[in-house]
Amino acid sequence: MQEVRPGVFITRTRHSANSYLIFAETGPRAVLVDPGSVAGAGDLIRTLVAYGLRPNDLVAILLTHTHPDHAGAAAQLWEWSGAPVYVHPAELGRLRQGSGPPLRWLGRLRIPPVPDAKPLADGASVPGFESLVAVHTPGHSPGHLCFFLPEQRIVFLGDLLLRVDGRLARPVGLFGRQGELHLASLKRLLRLGAEAACFGHGEPILRGFSVQLATFLEGLRPEPEWLRLLRHLPDLLRFGLGT
């Protein structure tokens, strides 16, 4: 794990998006944002143990959305820690039931069920970690959430935006992105005034994020989704399908 801000650590396991471990300012309490894929669950637990985290130190497992590279390991982390798993109500059913492809070699795309998963609505504080607030940002998925620490002005973005070779980029529509809804969520993100941003894919921005986001939004131009998909295919392979 690497500390990117005081009390905020980033790590990544096989076939996974970035995972973030956030510690409370007082006491050993911590939350985990996006535990990653089912293939990396064991590695992530070993990393947490090696860092000295005990199962009961984890008070919540937070999912930005229920794509397998973000949510596949949620069940294993829930079983290991006993910490509740939170997701937006729009994606709660999928997580409770689990999902996955029938082909065994695509097993890394599986999401084992978390029957006891709990809903976390827009604007709600995370139970047991009230300084962290859920922000509904649909478009990449119906119940996509960002998580915002207002006092530190840091936001955890999931797949609302990617950071590719130092540049901001929208996720492509391979997983059903809705362009206008996604754009509205980006504008809402700008209004948060975040200074730092932690991405599901790509390195964090630790200062000046809102300025970069405003510039990015000003430069957006309409573009056919098939063209974006073709242009960003190498990034898809690197960040999702082939890593």
Side-chain angles (χ1 to χ4, degrees), residues 113-153:
V114 183
D116 195 35
K118 303 184 183 304
L120 192 65
D122 179 43
S125 295
V126 175
F129 207 99
E130 282 71 18
S131 58
L132 191 61
V133 179
V135 182
H136 187 210
T137 49
H140 179 66
S141 72
H144 192 285
L145 291 173
C146 292
F147 296 98
F148 185 46
L149 280 171
E151 290 187 5
Q152 297 188 35
R153 296 177 62 196

Side-chain angles (χ1 to χ4, degrees), residues 35-42 44-45 58 61 71-83 85 110-114:
S37 76
V38 66
L44 179 59
I45 290 172
L58 202 59
I61 299 163
Q76 289 94 322
L77 268 293
W78 169 59
E79 292 170 356
W80 173 72
S81 67
V85 180
R110 187 168 57 93
I111 302 177
V114 183

Side-chain angles (χ1 to χ4, degrees), residues 9 48 109 148 176 208 232:
F9 294 80
L48 297 179
L109 301 180
F148 185 46
H232 288 285

